[in-house]
Amino acid sequence: MFKFKKCRAGKKVVSTSASVTEKLQTITQELGESYPSTPKEVVEKHNELMRIGYSSDIKDEELTAYAEALRMLYTKRLQEVNPIETQVSGLIAERLENEDKPLIMINSEIMDVTIIKDSDNSQNDSAGVVVKHGTNKGNITKEYSLVKEDGMWKIQSWETQKSEEDSTQSQTTSNNE
């Protein structure tokens, strides 16, 4: 499934990594066979997908498979309010908007995980996971909200937090005015 690339004189050149399509197929299969059991694992899988989606390798024709893989981690309600066609259109629009300098996800670091149980220990558990995404345009911090749905942790929403860098930039800008 994986192809390897070695550049040596007189040797064949073969790619070092799986194609985006192969990576997405592998992740989709993994999610179907062994869904993550904790909020942290769900967000780690989401981060892995984000690195694929925000790489220079992904092509427009692969965005539907990318969105379908992401949606496996979303609540039914999130999927309802954000139909796949709308999600793919938004991804294409974002790519066009950033055509001169595409946003590339370099890494992601989980900063905090909070699990909240209802007082009666019902199935209404929820969780918050804070992630710092490192990109070629700076750090982006997001807080993901997860709930248990059909016994599995699912992402119900996320919010981009204002970073300290943004606050510092705002203060610097305000001081210069």
Side-chain angles (χ1 to χ4, degrees), residues 65-77:
Y66 167 66
E68 287 170 346
L70 283 172
R71 296 169 72 78
M72 292 177 77
L73 301 170
Y74 295 171
T75 61
K76 291 173 190 165
R77 178 72 182 134

Side-chain angles (χ1 to χ4, degrees), residues 43-59:
V43 173
E44 285 172 341
K45 192 58 73 173
H46 188 264
N47 291 344
E48 184 179 345
L49 285 164
M50 295 280 287
R51 281 189 299 279
I52 293 170
Y54 288 92
S55 73
S56 58
D57 298 335
I58 195 165
K59 308 288 182 256

Side-chain angles (χ1 to χ4, degrees), residues 83-118:
I84 192 161
E85 299 81 15
T86 304
Q87 189 173 359
V88 172
S89 296
L91 290 166
I92 291 170
E94 182 180 21
R95 288 169 61 99
L96 289 171
E97 191 176 294
N98 293 302
E99 198 168 28
D100 292 341
K101 186 177 179 186
L103 180 65
I104 305 294
M105 182 82 56
I106 299 165
N107 59 32
S108 297
E109 179 183 356
I110 294 180
M111 307 300 289
D112 186 42
V113 178
T114 306
I115 298 176
I116 303 159
K117 286 196 166 277
D118 279 354

Side-chain angles (χ1 to χ4, degrees), residues 1-7 12-18:
M1 182 154 90
F2 293 93
K3 301 173 191 165
F4 296 93
K5 184 178 198 172
K6 296 189 179 185
C7 297
K12 272 189 178 179
V13 175
V14 189
S15 170
T16 52
S17 62

